[in-house]
């Protein structure tokens, strides 16, 4: 049996004037699960996150977090959450450590808890030596880490992360993944949006692919790849001149051919044999590469766009 | 070091439950935000505070002592029989609170909604938008009060507040600051694009209010055509009310009541509009 749902959205919709940012999406997230929202710019991911976070009122549909409606029980819902917004909104004029303490005060937490907790979280975010700096003296990646540390001050059981690792260097990103993984092991429910496929594959048990405010597909990373892609992908580059015209000549190789401005993708269960077929047709790519297919390919298939543009 | 040696392992840190967070935030949220605002002010340090006390004190000496020697010798009667120093002391008190308010309730509001979006941090916590607005106001009001009290003490030391009720003028100045500041805050919270509005407010509202509100000479001595500026000015209502307390300005009790109603009414209207706009804008 599945653990009970901590978040339930039914036909969740948000319009801004004429624009429908979120167009009737439904999903459930169970306790301890990590759930991802994947989609191109403007898909409605942040808008969905804000509605879950109880800071943006939905236009219609139903939403329940821990059995509560964020519209009528905003403070009660938000008291359960840790939130990392897409855009940092730290108190730039306060010191790094003070940012954590002040934020904890909004939850009515006492200083006797907050002081040691702040130190613990600074350690976690590798910012201990910056504790006394002002926030405006931090680099972009350090601010991001501080925002993440801040979201944990109340020990939330549900963590909303809107593009948490954007702006982090690869090392910091890997460390963060490790920390998020540990939180997950402790039973924290993670909801995250990301543009990084590897992040989604690493962290998400289940995800939805969103485009133009609608759900295009749902499932675990592995099942999505199985459903929408072949096992392997052959990537060919013929130079920017020829990439676009060569598609016709490649027809029939593999299961599907996708032509992009900078490369041609051939979906096939066996990439090597597809490459042999290409050579047999006397087509000479400048470079060729066989790889396993990824969420990136699922995304391309579903939305016709690559994720990082 | 192993975990067992960490004191936190003996008494593991545990946050209280979300239900407690929510109920505390519902009850005390405005104070929690005021605490943040005061910490930010503390970060600014003494410079701002000294400026906001120092400026009126400088005026007080230049005008009240320099100019006074000239004025008192010639036209004491115009100023209700008190020294010129006593006449302008409450006016400078109120003006300086209003000027501080014009800073506190303009740019920081834009900053909160737009520039650095500082209001959106607490918005994701159990606080609600009206508490964020209220906390900001409470912290500023405390600042006006402290600034006014310090200034008043200096005034009193120079014997410019003969009445034992003079200290009430510090409270009056705080209220005057809010009665100007809260409508400004309501306006500031509607601005989505910075097009120099606050510079205009400063130039075409704050400065005229300072000059034409019976600050340096009684409103009656102005031509009738500009006297209305005083009637709609929190600076004038605050100044006159302050004078009632510092030296017992003689005026009709009805007028005194009007001063109070005007100041409180403007502040209350400003608060109602601010609150509505914060809720609307942050929940969008
Ligand atoms: N406050 C707002 N007012 C008007 N339109 C908005 C507002 N916020 C978002 N939108 C619009 O809603 C749509 C969805 O925006 P949203 O920020 O949710 O996208 P996203 O999936 O998070 O994109 P990104 O990957 O770029 O962060 C966009 O077309 C955006 O312009
Ligand atoms: Mg977004």
């Amino acid at each position: 049996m599945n653990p009970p749902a901590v978040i339930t959205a039914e036909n969740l919709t948000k319009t801004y004037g004429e624009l429908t940012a979120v167009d009737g999406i439904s999903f459930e997230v169970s306790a301890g699960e990590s759930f991802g929202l994947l989609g191109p710019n403007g898909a409605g991911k942040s808008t969905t996150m804000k509605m879950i976070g109880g800071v943006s009122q939905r236009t219609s549909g139903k939403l329940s977090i821990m059995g509560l409606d964020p519209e009528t029980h905003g403070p009660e819902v938000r008291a359960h959450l840790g939130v990392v917004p897409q855009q940092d909104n730290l108190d730039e004029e306060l010191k790094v450590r003070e940012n954590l303490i002040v934020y904890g005060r909004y939850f009515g937490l006492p200083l006797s808890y907050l002081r040691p907790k702040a130190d613990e979280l600074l350690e976690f975010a590798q910012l201990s030596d910056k504790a006394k700096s002002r926030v405006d003296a931090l680099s972009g990646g350090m601010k991001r880490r501080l925002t993440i540390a801040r979201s944990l001050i109340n020990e939330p059981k549900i963590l909303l992360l809107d593009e948490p690792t954007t702006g982090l260097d690869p090392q910091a990103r890997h460390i963060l993944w490790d920390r998020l993984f540990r939180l997950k092991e402790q039973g924290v429910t993670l909801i995250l949006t990301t543009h990084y496929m590897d992040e989604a594959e690493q962290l998400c048990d289940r995800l939805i692919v969103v485009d133009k405010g609608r759900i295009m597909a749902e499932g675990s990373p592995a099942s999505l790849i199985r459903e929408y892609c072949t096992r392997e992908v052959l990537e060919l580059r013929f130079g920017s001149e020829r990439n676009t015209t060569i598609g016709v000549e490649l027809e029939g190789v593999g299961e599907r051919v996708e032509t992009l401005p900078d490369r041609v993708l051939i979906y096939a269960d066996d990439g090597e044999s597809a490459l042999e077929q290409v050579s047999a047709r006397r087509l000479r790519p400048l470079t060729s590469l066989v790889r396993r297919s990824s969420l990136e390919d699922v995304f391309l298939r579903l939305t016709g766009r690559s994720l990082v543009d | 070091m192993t975990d067992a040696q960490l004191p936190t392992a003996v008494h593991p840190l545990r946050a209280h439950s979300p239900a407690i967070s929510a109920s505390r935030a519902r009850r005390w949220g405005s104070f929690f935000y005021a605490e943040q605002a005061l910490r930010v002010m503390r970060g600014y340090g003494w410079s701002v505070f000294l400026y906001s006390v120092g400026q009126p004190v400088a005026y007080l000496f230049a005008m009240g002592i320099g100019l006074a020697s000239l004025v008192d010798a010639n036209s004491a009667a115009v100023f209700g029989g008190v020294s010129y120093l006593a006449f302008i002391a409450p006016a400078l008190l109120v003006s300086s609170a209003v000027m501080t308010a014009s800073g506190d309730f303009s740019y920081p509001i834009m900053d909160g909604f737009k520039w650095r979006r500082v209001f959106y941090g607490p918005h994701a916590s159990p606080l609600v938008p009206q508490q964020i607005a209220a906390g900001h106001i409470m912290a500023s009001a405390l600042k006006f009060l402290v600034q006014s009290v310090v200034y008043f003490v200096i005034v009193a030391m120079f014997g410019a507040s003969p009445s034992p009720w003079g200290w009430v003028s510090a409270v009056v100045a705080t209220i005057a600051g809010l009665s100007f500041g809260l409508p400004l805050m309501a306006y500031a919270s509607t601005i989505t694009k910075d097009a120099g509005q606050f510079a205009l407010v400063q130039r075409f509202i704050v400065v005229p209010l300072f000059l034409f509100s019976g600050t340096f000479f009684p409103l009656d001595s102005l031509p009738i055509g500009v006297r209305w500026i005083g009637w709609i000015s929190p600076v004038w209502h605050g100044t006159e009310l302050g004078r009632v307390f510092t030296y017992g300005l003689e005026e009709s009790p009805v007028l005194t009541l009007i001063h109070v109603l005007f100041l409180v009414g403007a502040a209350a209207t400003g608060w109602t509009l601010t609150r509505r706009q914060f809720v609307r804008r942050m929940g969008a």
Side-chain angles (χ1 to χ4, degrees), chain A residues 84-108:
Chain A
V84 177
Q86 183 169 0
Q87 255 179 307
D88 292 325
N89 49 27
L90 296 159
D91 286 312
E92 302 256 342
E93 281 139 359
L94 295 182
K95 306 253 161 59
V96 166
R97 184 168 178 268
E98 218 174 4
N99 258 271
L100 299 177
I101 290 176
V102 160
Y103 209 78
R105 294 293 295 142
Y106 300 153
F107 291 80

Side-chain angles (χ1 to χ4, degrees), chain B residues 198-277:
Chain B
F198 298 135
L200 294 180
V201 166
Q202 196 68 29
R203 212 162 297 157
F204 294 106
I205 299 182
V206 178
V207 172
L209 289 189
F210 180 53
L211 294 176
F212 301 111
S213 292
T215 316
F216 298 110
F217 38 82
L219 197 62
D220 302 346
S221 56
L222 280 175
I224 189 88
V226 290
R227 241 180 258 171
W228 62 270
I229 298 179
W231 299 335
I232 58 159
S233 161
V235 179
W236 182 67
H237 289 284
T239 297
E240 293 291 281
L241 193 56
R243 284 174 179 148
V244 169
F245 289 111
T246 56
Y247 66 81
L249 167 73
E250 283 180 30
E251 63 171 18
S252 135
V254 175
L255 193 52
T256 305
L257 185 65
I258 289 175
H259 297 323
V260 175
L261 291 178
F262 179 94
L263 293 176
V264 173
T269 308
W271 164 243
T272 308
L273 297 174
T274 297
R275 181 190 156 99
R276 185 191 304 168
Q277 180 59 20

Side-chain angles (χ1 to χ4, degrees), chain B residues 11 31 75 79 90 106 123 159 164 215:
Chain B
H11 297 290
F31 292 91
S75 49
F79 300 105
S106 55
H123 187 35
T215 316

Side-chain angles (χ1 to χ4, degrees), chain A residues 243-283:
Chain A
N243 281 335
T244 43
T245 54
I246 202 129
V248 210
E249 298 176 55
L250 286 167
E251 233 153 75
V253 183
E255 284 186 23
R256 195 159 56 83
V257 178
E258 186 87 50
T259 315
L260 300 179
D262 62 331
R263 66 210 140 113
V264 178
L265 303 179
I266 297 175
Y267 291 93
D269 281 324
D270 184 348
E272 286 300 336
S273 76
L275 182 57
E276 278 163 25
Q277 290 176 45
V278 171
S279 309
R281 294 188 185 193
R282 298 183 185 286
L283 298 169

Side-chain angles (χ1 to χ4, degrees), chain A residues 32-51:
Chain A
E33 192 178 19
S34 56
F35 181 78
L37 283 83
L38 219 61
N41 293 130
K45 304 180 296 291
S46 297
T47 307
T48 305
M49 294 291 256
K50 285 183 202 158
M51 288 189 281

